[in-house]
Amino acid sequence: AHDLRVQSTFFDGIVWLVFGQDASPLAKMRELLNRLGGNMRPAEDDLAGLTRAVSGLLVGKHVLIVLDDVWQLNQPKPIV
């Protein structure tokens, strides 16, 4: 993600999310939504709603999302 060639490929941004042992998938999706410039809406206070909101923000974008320090397979959820 620090390589200039990678940065030029993902010209819409690079988002680095650090999970750790006790990370909540819901909290990380909220963080991702906020870091992508999205706003929280009451209907998006669940994982499915957050996933739809993040997916909508990523349409047509070249964004690299780095998931760092993931301890459990169920922490990161598919976005699309």
Side-chain angles (χ1 to χ4, degrees), residues 6-7 9-15 36 62-65:
V6 172
Q7 292 173 1
T9 300
F10 296 98
F11 49 86
D12 288 313
I14 297 173
V15 179
L36 292 171
H62 293 87
V63 177
L64 174 63
I65 301 170

Side-chain angles (χ1 to χ4, degrees), residues 30-69:
R30 284 186 192 123
E31 180 182 348
L32 180 58
L33 179 68
N34 290 331
R35 303 250 323 259
L36 292 171
N39 295 315
M40 278 299 286
R41 295 177 191 83
E44 294 163 352
D45 200 27
D46 63 87
L47 197 53
L50 287 164
T51 300
R52 283 189 300 275
V54 167
S55 294
L57 289 172
L58 292 173
V59 171
K61 304 279 185 179
H62 293 87
V63 177
L64 174 63
I65 301 170
V66 179
L67 307 179
D68 190 12
D69 198 23

